[in-house]
Amino acid sequence: MSETIRHLRLVLGDQLNPEHPWFQTPDPEVLIVMMEVRQETDYVLHHAQKIIAIFAGMRRLAQQLSARRHKVRYFKISDRANQHSIAANLQQLCQQYRIEKFSYQLPDEWRLDQQLQQIAADFEKAGIQTSADDSAHFLSARDDAQRLFSQRQRWLMESFYRQMRVRYQVLMDGNQPVGAQWNFDHDNREAWRGTPAEPQDQRPVQDHRLLWEEIQAADVKSFGEPSAQRFRWPLDRDEALQQLDFFIREVLPHFGRFQDAMHSAAPRLFHSLLSFALNVKMLHPLEVVRAAEQAFQNGAVPLASAEGFIRQILGWREYVRGIYWAAMPDYAQQNALQHAQSLPPWFWNGQTGMRCLSQSIQASLQHAHAHHIQRLMVIGNFALLAGLDPQELHHWYLGIYIDAFEWVELPNTLGMSQFADGGLLATKPYVSTSAYIHKMSDYCKGCAYDRKQKTGEEACPFNAMYWDFFLRHREQFARNPRLGMIYPQLAKMKDEDKTALQLRAAWCRSHLDQL
């Protein structure tokens, strides 16, 4: 490496955008620094495929940048010179070269933001100029949501979403939404009964056995199925664009109707599986949104499908990021309902008699992915009813899902799923009996438990735990206008029936490992 290096630029594992302004023109005095460090593999237990995907994606980008004549210093997990700390590796390079400037792209996680600010402050004290550059990815600033709602009592995603639609003129007819309504959520709640068929998985099959062996040799701990020989996740922008094109052409037309559906024979159904590529910045959210919008304008996709998909990206994805940056660092410790039960062991192997949970968790372990209803209305639903520790659950979600980075996962887990933030993100707890799961899936067929029974050893645990949840948390929810008839229904129940529900729920919550 030339001794003319004056400027270090750090690229993190979720900043895999080859079109970032940094990379437009090679500069012989700039060294791009990328690193596979135990600091990042070990702060939470990760799914094997998540580690493989991020490392392989980083290596692919490093190769591309080198081919474009950028100077790259890449620390592999196996490199002897790798000190497995971002700060230590950067300090090593500063000693090796006459560094005059250090730059980093703004990270998306609080802990890394704090660490890089400290690194930059230390460099400044040593006479090294520093800069924090934008990642050139998101459609809103970190504080946009906070400023939008600063004078309002409640934060509402729908208000933020409409403002984003207007700002970017997405699915708009002048100042009004196309179709005369903003949200088609009510049109997107069909169960899937086998037709149309689930599209074939068109993602490339990749072989990462050597990388997996390297990760194992470094003694990096993980869980889940590595699938290193038949790895299916995109590793660069070209592969991600091919996946986006296939989704828009072949899958999006059916996404809207079935976006909440679940089925044991079709784990992907009509979901895009683009969240990993988006969250590591191989794709830009606006190009994804525009592709869906264009498909609707061309008549290839129903409005309800296009709008439902766009809302997830332009609305929800940007909104939860705003919640994250407005509420951190205290947000991570929120536990408004004081839940403290440890996760049962079957969260790590899927071996439970509850078929809905077994299917959803085993699919997560196999693919490092589950769609939003499996995460929210099966796994999250059970966790909330059972009173699982929200911080422990947060670490599980953060580790198991390939698209889980704290800025997006933490608000979804603590806020939307577990109501641990006391209602900042969600206006009601998202819980249900077995009725919802039966309506939206085939999971109840062949289950060890009877979805129709509320009490007794064979009764589906969701049923008793649902009513017990609202009895236990009457003080928090009795006046919630979104909970409708729940408390009037409880008032009509006989005392002995409520007692039976509570006893069944108490047994389930104290014997989670036996369910």
Side-chain angles (χ1 to χ4, degrees), residues 79-192:
D79 286 351
R80 289 188 176 182
N82 188 348
Q83 298 184 58
H84 293 287
S85 158
I86 292 174
N89 284 340
L90 289 173
Q91 188 61 43
Q92 178 186 146
L93 293 174
C94 283
Q95 293 171 357
Q96 182 177 352
Y97 302 103
R98 299 190 196 94
I99 299 302
E100 298 172 0
K101 184 174 181 180
F102 166 66
S103 301
Y104 64 92
Q105 296 176 34
L106 287 171
D108 297 321
E109 298 197 0
W110 175 270
R111 63 184 180 85
L112 286 173
D113 192 61
Q114 296 299 296
Q115 182 185 17
L116 288 170
Q117 285 187 46
Q118 184 60 57
I119 290 171
D122 292 342
F123 281 168
E124 291 278 0
K125 289 177 183 176
I128 298 172
Q129 180 185 355
T130 67
S131 68
D133 300 332
D134 195 271
S135 65
H137 178 78
F138 291 98
L139 300 175
S140 57
R142 284 178 175 180
D143 61 349
D144 275 0
Q146 189 171 26
R147 286 189 286 105
L148 176 65
F149 294 109
S150 62
Q151 304 301 318
R152 306 188 192 185
Q153 270 192 319
R154 286 204 60 82
W155 290 42
L156 291 172
M157 192 281 287
E158 186 68 22
S159 299
F160 178 86
Y161 169 56
R162 293 182 185 189
Q163 187 262 352
M164 292 291 284
R165 287 267 298 270
V166 172
R167 183 196 299 188
Y168 286 96
Q169 285 296 291
V170 174
L171 294 178
M172 297 297 294
D173 184 5
N175 293 323
Q176 297 300 313
V178 170
Q181 65 186 72
W182 293 97
N183 187 314
F184 288 83
D185 195 37
H186 286 288
D187 297 330
N188 294 338
R189 295 177 178 174
E190 283 189 44
W192 183 74

Side-chain angles (χ1 to χ4, degrees), residues 57-327:
M58 290 171 67
R59 293 183 182 195
R60 184 79 59 88
L61 178 61
Q63 292 168 357
Q64 292 173 344
L65 293 177
S66 295
R68 288 156 55 177
R69 300 189 177 181
H70 291 278
K71 292 183 177 179
V72 180
R73 174 64 171 101
Y74 193 97
F75 290 88
K76 289 185 176 182
I77 194 74
S78 56
D79 286 351
R80 289 188 176 182
N82 188 348
Q83 298 184 58
H84 293 287
S85 158
I86 292 174
N89 284 340
L90 289 173
Q91 188 61 43
Q92 178 186 146
L93 293 174
C94 283
Q95 293 171 357
Q96 182 177 352
Y97 302 103
R98 299 190 196 94
I99 299 302
E100 298 172 0
K101 184 174 181 180
F102 166 66
S103 301
Y104 64 92
Q105 296 176 34
L106 287 171
D108 297 321
E109 298 197 0
W110 175 270
R111 63 184 180 85
L112 286 173
D113 192 61
Q114 296 299 296
Q115 182 185 17
L116 288 170
Q117 285 187 46
Q118 184 60 57
I119 290 171
D122 292 342
F123 281 168
E124 291 278 0
K125 289 177 183 176
I128 298 172
Q129 180 185 355
T130 67
S131 68
D133 300 332
D134 195 271
S135 65
H137 178 78
F138 291 98
L139 300 175
S140 57
R142 284 178 175 180
D143 61 349
D144 275 0
Q146 189 171 26
R147 286 189 286 105
L148 176 65
F149 294 109
S150 62
Q151 304 301 318
R152 306 188 192 185
Q153 270 192 319
R154 286 204 60 82
W155 290 42
L156 291 172
M157 192 281 287
E158 186 68 22
S159 299
F160 178 86
Y161 169 56
R162 293 182 185 189
Q163 187 262 352
M164 292 291 284
R165 287 267 298 270
V166 172
R167 183 196 299 188
Y168 286 96
Q169 285 296 291
V170 174
L171 294 178
M172 297 297 294
D173 184 5
N175 293 323
Q176 297 300 313
V178 170
Q181 65 186 72
W182 293 97
N183 187 314
F184 288 83
D185 195 37
H186 286 288
D187 297 330
N188 294 338
R189 295 177 178 174
E190 283 189 44
W192 183 74
R193 305 304 183 198
T195 56
E198 180 187 50
Q200 290 187 350
D201 191 347
Q202 295 293 315
R203 294 174 298 167
V205 177
Q206 323 217 35
D207 191 331
H208 293 299
R209 282 175 290 183
L210 292 178
L211 173 57
W212 178 236
E213 289 172 5
E214 190 176 346
I215 291 168
Q216 288 182 300
D219 198 31
V220 175
K221 299 295 186 291
S222 66
F223 70 113
E225 171 57 52
S227 296
Q229 189 172 353
R230 292 187 55 81
F231 192 85
R232 304 304 302 263
W233 296 99
L235 299 181
D236 60 31
R237 177 168 168 77
D238 286 345
E239 292 178 357
L241 285 170
Q242 292 171 17
Q243 188 178 335
L244 171 62
D245 179 67
F246 174 76
F247 170 70
I248 297 294
R249 285 186 295 103
E250 305 294 336
V251 185
L252 181 57
H254 306 297
F255 167 78
R257 291 167 58 200
F258 302 112
Q259 66 174 318
D260 288 0
M262 301 171 285
H263 202 281
S264 59
R268 289 177 289 106
L269 276 178
F270 304 99
H271 293 271
S272 72
L273 294 116
L274 292 169
S275 51
F276 169 71
L278 271 166
N279 290 354
V280 296
K281 303 177 182 59
M282 295 173 186
L283 295 175
H284 193 277
L286 192 57
E287 72 182 325
V288 177
V289 165
R290 293 296 186 203
E293 181 185 38
Q294 189 63 54
F296 160 70
Q297 292 172 344
N298 293 344
V301 171
L303 178 56
S305 281
E307 187 279 321
F309 179 68
I310 287 170
R311 183 169 7 104
Q312 290 188 346
I313 298 171
L314 188 63
W316 191 252
R317 185 173 185 266
E318 298 282 332
Y319 179 64
V320 296
R321 178 173 177 261
I323 291 276
Y324 179 80
W325 285 107

Side-chain angles (χ1 to χ4, degrees), residues 11 19 36 54 58 86 209 239 296 392 436 493:
V11 176
E19 298 192 340
E36 302 167 359
I54 292 174
M58 290 171 67
I86 292 174
R209 282 175 290 183
E239 292 178 357
F296 160 70
E392 193 175 334
Y436 176 84
M493 283 187 190

Side-chain angles (χ1 to χ4, degrees), residues 296-394:
F296 160 70
Q297 292 172 344
N298 293 344
V301 171
L303 178 56
S305 281
E307 187 279 321
F309 179 68
I310 287 170
R311 183 169 7 104
Q312 290 188 346
I313 298 171
L314 188 63
W316 191 252
R317 185 173 185 266
E318 298 282 332
Y319 179 64
V320 296
R321 178 173 177 261
I323 291 276
Y324 179 80
W325 285 107
M328 286 296 283
D330 294 340
Y331 194 87
Q333 303 307 317
Q334 295 296 306
N335 189 358
L337 301 180
Q338 297 299 301
H339 286 173
Q341 181 89 324
S342 291
L343 271 60
W346 43 261
F347 262 68
W348 306 98
N349 57 34
Q351 299 301 313
T352 171
M354 292 174 286
R355 190 165 181 260
C356 59
L357 281 156
S358 178
Q359 290 282 328
S360 298
I361 291 174
Q362 286 188 16
S364 302
L365 292 167
Q366 184 177 356
H367 304 297
H369 185 270
H371 68 69
H372 65 287
I373 297 298
Q374 292 165 321
R375 299 188 201 193
L376 176 66
M377 294 307 301
V378 178
I379 301 170
N381 182 6
F382 179 86
L384 183 52
L385 295 178
L388 301 189
D389 184 316
Q391 278 70 43
E392 193 175 334
L393 186 70
H394 149 56

Side-chain angles (χ1 to χ4, degrees), residues 415-430:
M416 185 68 174
S417 174
Q418 298 304 293
F419 210 82
D421 63 4
L424 175 62
L425 186 60
T427 55
K428 68 172 183 177
Y430 281 84

Side-chain angles (χ1 to χ4, degrees), residues 482-502:
R482 291 206 64 199
L483 295 178
M485 292 298 295
I486 289 174
Y487 285 99
Q489 281 181 274
L490 280 169
K492 294 177 183 178
M493 283 187 190
K494 295 178 181 179
D495 288 344
E496 56 265 35
D497 292 338
K498 285 187 280 191
T499 299
L501 289 168
Q502 289 176 303

